[in-house]
Amino acid sequence: MPATRAALVGALALAAAALTATFGGLVTLDTATREWLIGRRSPDLTAVMIALSTIGSSVVLVPLALGVAVWLGVGRHRREASLVVGTTLGAWLLGPLLKHAVERARPEDAHLVLVNSWAYPSGHSLTSTAVLGVLSVVVSIRLTARTARLATVAAGVILVVLVGISRIYLGVHWPTDVLAGWLIGAGWLAGCLLVYEALERRRLVGE
């Protein structure tokens, strides 16, 4: 498992790096996908997409994760609380750092929500992938039924995908911004889980 997790972290990092190096050549695909989604706008769907975008924002996810961490800490699950805090705060900081490093401009038109930062990677996609991912892990390990664990993880994945789509639909991101956010968020999550599992193995050996 550790070797598999490490390989996954490396693969995600390489994929994100490759996308970062080549997104300039994907303008046609970016534009076509964005225009297709924007062409499907309707008042009801826009309301749903704004709600999804809000759910996937740091304003919602960071306090949610910290609240879960406090609950875990009170319940004497301090190591899991540290995992949630570390994964969340790392993702929250990583997004702005990468945005300033790449400095990709957002699409210029058809914005349905206000934005004031660089486009790449999508902070909503990155943060929701990492935070909802770690929360799904924390919840699923407390479930005994396999179907319940799979349903928890599936629900987290679906919500992450919908958050990313909402950012394109609302006109504030290119599809490759969202894809990069997913890749980087998944890589950060996998890395945090790798470290957590290594520390747990060391603790068990020490006991």
Side-chain angles (χ1 to χ4, degrees):
M1 181 64 73
T4 302
R5 187 91 67 189
L8 176 61
V9 173
L12 289 168
L14 285 173
L19 180 61
T20 303
T22 60
F23 68 70
L26 301 174
V27 174
T28 301
L29 179 61
D30 259 346
T31 302
T33 304
R34 179 175 180 268
E35 289 180 351
W36 186 88
L37 278 173
I38 289 174
R40 268 68 191 165
R41 285 177 175 175
S42 70
D44 289 341
L45 186 54
T46 296
V48 171
M49 290 298 180
I50 290 175
L52 286 167
S53 180
T54 301
I55 291 170
S57 67
S58 297
V59 173
V60 171
L61 290 179
V62 172
L64 172 64
L66 295 181
V68 171
V70 169
W71 174 74
L72 288 168
V74 171
R76 298 181 182 275
H77 300 287
R78 294 184 179 87
R79 289 181 295 277
E80 290 175 15
S82 297
L83 170 64
V84 171
V85 171
T87 303
T88 299
L89 294 184
W92 183 52
L93 295 171
L94 191 58
L97 288 174
L98 292 173
K99 284 177 182 288
H100 285 288
V102 178
E103 294 189 347
R104 185 189 196 185
R106 292 182 184 269
E108 295 181 354
D109 62 336
H111 293 190
L112 293 183
V113 292
L114 295 176
V115 287
N116 57 5
S117 63
W118 297 107
Y120 187 98
S122 164
H124 280 66
S125 297
L126 194 163
T127 303
S128 63
T129 300
V131 175
L132 294 176
V134 75
L135 293 181
S136 295
V137 169
V138 168
V139 171
S140 64
I141 62 178
R142 284 168 167 71
L143 302 173
T144 55
R146 183 170 182 270
T147 53
R149 293 197 299 270
L150 290 175
T152 299
V153 173
V157 171
I158 290 170
L159 185 53
V160 166
V161 171
L162 290 175
V163 168
I165 291 172
S166 76
R167 300 302 286 171
I168 306 169
Y169 175 95
L170 295 173
V172 295
H173 274 296
W174 302 106
T176 45
D177 301 336
V178 171
L179 178 57
W182 286 334
L183 290 171
I184 296 165
W188 176 252
L189 172 63
C192 290
L193 291 174
L194 181 66
V195 172
Y196 172 78
E197 291 171 354
L199 293 175
E200 282 294 285
R201 287 194 302 274
R202 182 178 298 179
R203 181 182 65 83
L204 293 173
V205 170
E207 293 178 352

